[in-house]
Amino acid sequence: MTGGLLFALTGVVLFAMGVAGVLLIGHLLRRILAFNLMGSGAFLVLVGLAQRNDVTDPVPQAMVLTGIVVAVAATALALALARKLHALTGRLELPEDRDG
């Protein structure tokens, strides 16, 4: 098993854990953390698949670097919105969806 394949498989596991967290957890901060875990998994998959014959491709690495910057900005926005929700309602859980 090569190092790149190990990174890719670890990324798939992290992504699956993040998806489960986003779908199953109701607390907003934990959902934000699970979403970040999904992003980290996707970054690991990209880095792992970018290695061919012990030579790395710089394009996926640049995409991951850009993605990390965007993920930090998106996390800051999500935390600001969560803080505003907590200031308005006093809760950090999203309201239940009522159909009917």
Side-chain angles (χ1 to χ4, degrees):
M1 178 179 285
T2 64
L5 185 60
L6 184 63
F7 279 127
L9 290 176
T10 304
V12 168
V13 170
L14 284 176
F15 190 83
M17 288 172 52
V19 167
V22 167
L23 293 177
L24 298 176
I25 296 174
H27 196 268
L28 196 56
L29 288 178
R30 291 181 184 168
R31 270 193 185 177
I32 293 170
L33 287 175
F35 196 75
N36 282 336
L37 194 63
M38 283 175 45
S40 298
F43 297 151
L44 269 176
V45 168
L46 279 173
V47 167
L49 295 179
Q51 296 180 358
R52 305 261 181 193
N53 299 329
D54 294 331
V55 177
T56 58
D57 187 9
V59 174
Q61 290 185 354
M63 288 174 48
V64 167
L65 210 58
T66 304
I68 290 170
V69 172
V70 171
V72 168
T75 301
L77 177 65
L79 290 174
L81 290 173
R83 186 172 179 215
K84 185 71 170 179
L85 178 71
H86 185 266
L88 291 175
T89 64
R91 298 178 22 188
L92 277 177
E93 292 186 5
L94 296 175
E96 294 288 327
D97 188 24
R98 296 183 184 184
D99 293 333

